[in-house]
Every structure is written in structure tokens, then in C-alpha cells.
Amino acid sequence: MLTFTRRFPLHSLKFRIGLVLLLSTGTPVYAQIAPQTPADTLRKYETPAGATSTKPWYRGKLVRATIVPAVMIGYGFYTHKGGGFYTNEQANRDIHKLFPTYRTRLDDYLLLAPYAELGLVALAGVESRNDRINTLLVIGKAEAIMLTSVFALKHITRRPRPDGSDNEAFPSGHTAQAFLAASIVHTEFRDKSQWYGIGAYTIATGVGALRMINTKHWQSDVVAGAGFGILSAHLAYLTHRNRWGRKPRLPEGMTLTPTLYGGATGLCFIWRPQ
């Protein structure tokens, strides 16, 4: 038996080519792909650093607080001297077709009913937006704004009432008072339930309707009065910063305590720099 053995030197060209082919058939080829960084969607709507985010003027607090009462007051001014597609006289005639002889003094008592609701809900333990002291301060400020504006306009316009009893028809003070109180209730408890505000505004609307049924006011007086009531409440909240009753705080590391030394009183100031 003859055996032929041929040796290939390691440095020969044929050996090198065969070795490369052998390794390439048994070894998988991996393509080098640049790693992709996932998109950051968590900060998609974040304002870039250094940029300022400003709201358009029509989305500001003042515009949102005044747009609805301004429309109501404007409508009242437009119709209080016979303007509009549905005049005061037409509204008065239609109302007394439905209620020709009905008269009541219920409107004199219902104008403060939203405040009664405010007190009852607070006594029931429902947490309001502000504490009691600040709520009372807002009410006092709103009442001052409403009474000043309403009675000043009554004196300026000298609008006769439908029953001719006097010349203080425009705007309706009863309606302004009821809607002011309803706005306070709505603002204080709207985070808890919208039904508190709905109930208060329903009572206020009933007050305005009764003022027309009792021939004490025209429709323009009632609509404008509601606008002044809502506007007064909104302005009171916009100008109130809830500062009453807050304890003053010193910067971190500083303390101020009362002292008694040698029969004399004083204050001890301690500062520990951080």
C-alpha cells in the first residue's frame, strides 16, 4: 500500500487561500450597524431650556374671568333703552301673559340663599377652596365692588321700574347679589362637585325671574345685574392672594424667638449659615 503525502508550507499562497475559505464557511458574518438611540418622548412637549412659554392674551386669567359677565352687562346696556331683537316691553308683556296676577316677596329672601348653602356645606365638613377667614375676606371685597358699581349706575341711569315705583331699575341689585353669592359658592366648591354651583346659580336665576314677574325690573336690568354680580366675585378672587392668616417664614437657618432676661423682654435672633 502506497501512501503519498504532500506537505504545504504555511507560507505558501495556496495554503493561505484555503484557510480563509475554510474559516468563512463555518463562521457567521456580522454586519456592523451603528446603534440607534431611542427617541425621547417623555419630554416631547417640554419647553426648551432658555425659551419662555407665554399664553396668548385671550387665554389669560383676566379675560377668562371677565368675558361672560362683560357680555351680559353689554347686552343689558344695549337693551335697557329699547334696543335688541327682543325688547324689554316684549319680554314684560310675555311674562305677564304667563303670570298675570302672581306676586310674591320670595325674591327678597332668596337673594341670600346661596350664602346659606355656602355655610351649610362648610358645616357639613366639605373642604372649600379657601379657609373661612379668606373666604369672608373675598366676600367682603366682592360685596364692596358690587354695591359700589350697582348703586352708582342706578343713580346715573335713572331708569324707571316697570311698575313706576321709582327710577332705580338698572341694574337689578337683587339679581346682582344673588349671582355674586352663587359665584362664590361655585368657586369654593367646584373642585368637590359642580352640583353646588349648579344649585346656587339655579337659585340666583329664580331671583332674577321673580324680579321680572313682580314687575320690579326689565329683562335688561336682570341680565346686567347678573353680570355685575359675577364680575364682582371674579375680580375679588383675582385681587386676593390669600395672605391673611399665613405665618411669616424666615429664610432657612434663621430663627427668631422671644426671650425674657433680667425682667426685660426681647427677641433672640439666631442664624446658622448653611
Short mmCIF file of all heavy atoms in Angstrom, two decimals, residues 240-268:
data_model
loop_
_atom_site.label_atom_id
_atom_site.label_comp_id
_atom_site.label_asym_id
_atom_site.label_seq_id
_atom_site.Cartn_x
_atom_site.Cartn_y
_atom_site.Cartn_z
N HIS A 240 -57.14 88.83 45.21
CA HIS A 240 -56.89 88.28 46.55
C HIS A 240 -55.77 87.26 46.47
O HIS A 240 -55.79 86.37 45.62
CB HIS A 240 -58.16 87.63 47.10
CG HIS A 240 -58.04 87.26 48.56
ND1 HIS A 240 -57.95 88.20 49.56
CD2 HIS A 240 -57.99 86.06 49.18
CE1 HIS A 240 -57.86 87.60 50.73
NE2 HIS A 240 -57.88 86.30 50.52
N ARG A 241 -54.80 87.38 47.36
CA ARG A 241 -53.64 86.49 47.33
C ARG A 241 -53.56 85.56 48.55
O ARG A 241 -52.53 84.95 48.79
CB ARG A 241 -52.36 87.32 47.25
CG ARG A 241 -52.24 88.10 45.95
CD ARG A 241 -52.09 87.15 44.77
NE ARG A 241 -52.00 87.85 43.51
CZ ARG A 241 -53.02 88.10 42.71
NH1 ARG A 241 -54.24 87.73 43.08
NH2 ARG A 241 -52.87 88.73 41.57
N ASN A 242 -54.64 85.48 49.31
CA ASN A 242 -54.70 84.55 50.45
C ASN A 242 -53.54 84.75 51.42
O ASN A 242 -52.95 83.81 51.92
CB ASN A 242 -54.70 83.09 49.95
CG ASN A 242 -55.90 82.79 49.09
OD1 ASN A 242 -56.93 83.42 49.22
ND2 ASN A 242 -55.77 81.82 48.22
N ARG A 243 -53.23 86.00 51.73
CA ARG A 243 -52.12 86.28 52.63
C ARG A 243 -52.55 86.29 54.09
O ARG A 243 -51.73 86.16 54.97
CB ARG A 243 -51.49 87.63 52.27
CG ARG A 243 -50.81 87.61 50.91
CD ARG A 243 -50.35 88.99 50.51
NE ARG A 243 -49.73 88.99 49.20
CZ ARG A 243 -49.39 90.07 48.53
NH1 ARG A 243 -49.62 91.26 49.06
NH2 ARG A 243 -48.81 89.98 47.34
N TRP A 244 -53.83 86.53 54.32
CA TRP A 244 -54.30 86.64 55.70
C TRP A 244 -54.19 85.30 56.42
O TRP A 244 -54.60 84.26 55.91
CB TRP A 244 -55.73 87.13 55.72
CG TRP A 244 -56.24 87.42 57.10
CD1 TRP A 244 -56.86 86.55 57.93
CD2 TRP A 244 -56.14 88.65 57.80
NE1 TRP A 244 -57.18 87.17 59.11
CE2 TRP A 244 -56.73 88.46 59.06
CE3 TRP A 244 -55.60 89.90 57.48
CZ2 TRP A 244 -56.81 89.47 60.01
CZ3 TRP A 244 -55.67 90.91 58.43
CH2 TRP A 244 -56.27 90.69 59.67
N GLY A 245 -53.62 85.32 57.60
CA GLY A 245 -53.53 84.11 58.41
C GLY A 245 -52.31 83.26 58.14
O GLY A 245 -52.06 82.29 58.85
N ARG A 246 -51.50 83.62 57.16
CA ARG A 246 -50.29 82.85 56.90
C ARG A 246 -49.19 83.27 57.86
O ARG A 246 -48.97 84.45 58.10
CB ARG A 246 -49.81 83.07 55.46
CG ARG A 246 -50.70 82.40 54.43
CD ARG A 246 -50.06 82.50 53.07
NE ARG A 246 -50.81 81.76 52.07
CZ ARG A 246 -50.43 81.64 50.81
NH1 ARG A 246 -49.32 82.20 50.39
NH2 ARG A 246 -51.17 80.95 49.96
N LYS A 247 -48.48 82.29 58.40
CA LYS A 247 -47.40 82.59 59.32
C LYS A 247 -46.16 83.00 58.53
O LYS A 247 -45.76 82.30 57.61
CB LYS A 247 -47.08 81.36 60.18
CG LYS A 247 -48.22 80.96 61.10
CD LYS A 247 -47.82 79.76 61.94
CE LYS A 247 -48.96 79.36 62.88
NZ LYS A 247 -48.59 78.20 63.70
N PRO A 248 -45.53 84.12 58.90
CA PRO A 248 -44.32 84.52 58.18
C PRO A 248 -43.19 83.53 58.43
O PRO A 248 -43.00 83.03 59.53
CB PRO A 248 -44.00 85.90 58.78
CG PRO A 248 -44.65 85.89 60.12
CD PRO A 248 -45.89 85.04 59.98
N ARG A 249 -42.42 83.27 57.39
CA ARG A 249 -41.33 82.31 57.48
C ARG A 249 -40.02 83.01 57.18
O ARG A 249 -39.88 83.76 56.20
CB ARG A 249 -41.54 81.16 56.48
CG ARG A 249 -42.77 80.32 56.76
CD ARG A 249 -42.85 79.18 55.78
NE ARG A 249 -41.70 78.30 55.91
CZ ARG A 249 -41.49 77.25 55.12
NH1 ARG A 249 -42.34 76.96 54.14
NH2 ARG A 249 -40.43 76.50 55.29
N LEU A 250 -39.02 82.76 58.06
CA LEU A 250 -37.69 83.31 57.85
C LEU A 250 -36.92 82.42 56.89
O LEU A 250 -37.26 81.24 56.71
CB LEU A 250 -36.95 83.41 59.18
CG LEU A 250 -37.52 84.40 60.20
CD1 LEU A 250 -36.77 84.25 61.52
CD2 LEU A 250 -37.42 85.83 59.68
N PRO A 251 -35.86 82.93 56.28
CA PRO A 251 -35.03 82.08 55.43
C PRO A 251 -34.46 80.90 56.20
O PRO A 251 -34.34 80.93 57.43
CB PRO A 251 -33.92 83.03 54.96
CG PRO A 251 -34.53 84.40 55.07
CD PRO A 251 -35.45 84.32 56.25
N GLU A 252 -34.08 79.87 55.49
CA GLU A 252 -33.59 78.64 56.12
C GLU A 252 -32.34 78.94 56.93
O GLU A 252 -31.43 79.63 56.48
CB GLU A 252 -33.30 77.60 55.04
CG GLU A 252 -32.96 76.24 55.60
CD GLU A 252 -32.80 75.21 54.51
OE1 GLU A 252 -33.01 75.56 53.34
OE2 GLU A 252 -32.46 74.05 54.85
N GLY A 253 -32.30 78.41 58.15
CA GLY A 253 -31.16 78.62 59.03
C GLY A 253 -31.34 79.75 60.01
O GLY A 253 -30.49 79.95 60.89
N MET A 254 -32.43 80.52 59.87
CA MET A 254 -32.67 81.64 60.76
C MET A 254 -33.84 81.34 61.68
O MET A 254 -34.85 80.80 61.24
CB MET A 254 -32.95 82.92 59.97
CG MET A 254 -31.81 83.40 59.12
SD MET A 254 -32.20 84.96 58.30
CE MET A 254 -30.70 85.21 57.34
N THR A 255 -33.72 81.71 62.94
CA THR A 255 -34.81 81.55 63.91
C THR A 255 -34.93 82.83 64.72
O THR A 255 -33.94 83.53 64.98
CB THR A 255 -34.55 80.37 64.85
OG1 THR A 255 -33.30 80.55 65.53
CG2 THR A 255 -34.55 79.05 64.09
N LEU A 256 -36.16 83.13 65.12
CA LEU A 256 -36.44 84.32 65.91
C LEU A 256 -37.37 83.90 67.04
O LEU A 256 -38.50 83.46 66.79
CB LEU A 256 -37.08 85.39 65.04
CG LEU A 256 -37.21 86.79 65.65
CD1 LEU A 256 -35.83 87.38 65.89
CD2 LEU A 256 -38.03 87.69 64.74
N THR A 257 -36.92 84.02 68.29
CA THR A 257 -37.70 83.57 69.44
C THR A 257 -37.75 84.67 70.50
O THR A 257 -36.80 85.43 70.68
CB THR A 257 -37.07 82.31 70.07
OG1 THR A 257 -35.71 82.60 70.42
CG2 THR A 257 -37.11 81.14 69.10
N PRO A 258 -38.89 84.78 71.21
CA PRO A 258 -38.98 85.77 72.29
C PRO A 258 -38.15 85.32 73.50
O PRO A 258 -37.99 84.13 73.77
CB PRO A 258 -40.47 85.78 72.62
CG PRO A 258 -40.97 84.44 72.19
CD PRO A 258 -40.15 84.06 70.99
N THR A 259 -37.61 86.28 74.20
CA THR A 259 -36.76 85.98 75.36
C THR A 259 -37.16 86.86 76.55
O THR A 259 -37.78 87.91 76.39
CB THR A 259 -35.28 86.23 75.04
OG1 THR A 259 -35.10 87.60 74.67
CG2 THR A 259 -34.81 85.32 73.93
N LEU A 260 -36.79 86.41 77.75
CA LEU A 260 -37.01 87.15 78.99
C LEU A 260 -35.72 87.09 79.78
O LEU A 260 -35.30 86.01 80.22
CB LEU A 260 -38.17 86.56 79.78
CG LEU A 260 -38.49 87.23 81.12
CD1 LEU A 260 -38.93 88.68 80.89
CD2 LEU A 260 -39.59 86.45 81.85
N TYR A 261 -35.07 88.24 79.96
CA TYR A 261 -33.77 88.26 80.65
C TYR A 261 -33.72 89.47 81.57
O TYR A 261 -33.86 90.62 81.12
CB TYR A 261 -32.62 88.32 79.63
CG TYR A 261 -31.25 88.33 80.25
CD1 TYR A 261 -30.70 87.14 80.75
CD2 TYR A 261 -30.52 89.51 80.36
CE1 TYR A 261 -29.44 87.14 81.33
CE2 TYR A 261 -29.27 89.52 80.95
CZ TYR A 261 -28.73 88.32 81.43
OH TYR A 261 -27.49 88.32 82.02
N GLY A 262 -33.54 89.20 82.85
CA GLY A 262 -33.41 90.28 83.81
C GLY A 262 -34.66 91.12 83.94
O GLY A 262 -34.57 92.33 84.19
N GLY A 263 -35.82 90.50 83.76
CA GLY A 263 -37.06 91.24 83.86
C GLY A 263 -37.42 92.01 82.60
O GLY A 263 -38.46 92.68 82.56
N ALA A 264 -36.58 91.93 81.57
CA ALA A 264 -36.85 92.64 80.31
C ALA A 264 -37.13 91.61 79.21
O ALA A 264 -36.53 90.53 79.18
CB ALA A 264 -35.67 93.52 79.92
N THR A 265 -38.05 91.96 78.36
CA THR A 265 -38.39 91.08 77.25
C THR A 265 -37.64 91.52 76.00
O THR A 265 -37.23 92.69 75.86
CB THR A 265 -39.91 91.13 76.96
OG1 THR A 265 -40.29 92.47 76.67
CG2 THR A 265 -40.69 90.62 78.15
N GLY A 266 -37.45 90.58 75.12
CA GLY A 266 -36.74 90.89 73.88
C GLY A 266 -36.90 89.76 72.88
O GLY A 266 -37.69 88.83 73.08
N LEU A 267 -36.12 89.83 71.84
CA LEU A 267 -36.14 88.83 70.79
C LEU A 267 -34.73 88.29 70.60
O LEU A 267 -33.74 89.05 70.64
CB LEU A 267 -36.64 89.42 69.46
CG LEU A 267 -38.10 89.82 69.41
CD1 LEU A 267 -38.40 90.52 68.08
CD2 LEU A 267 -39.01 88.61 69.60
N CYS A 268 -34.64 87.00 70.42
CA CYS A 268 -33.37 86.34 70.19
C CYS A 268 -33.29 85.89 68.73
O CYS A 268 -34.13 85.10 68.27
CB CYS A 268 -33.20 85.14 71.12
SG CYS A 268 -31.66 84.22 70.86
#
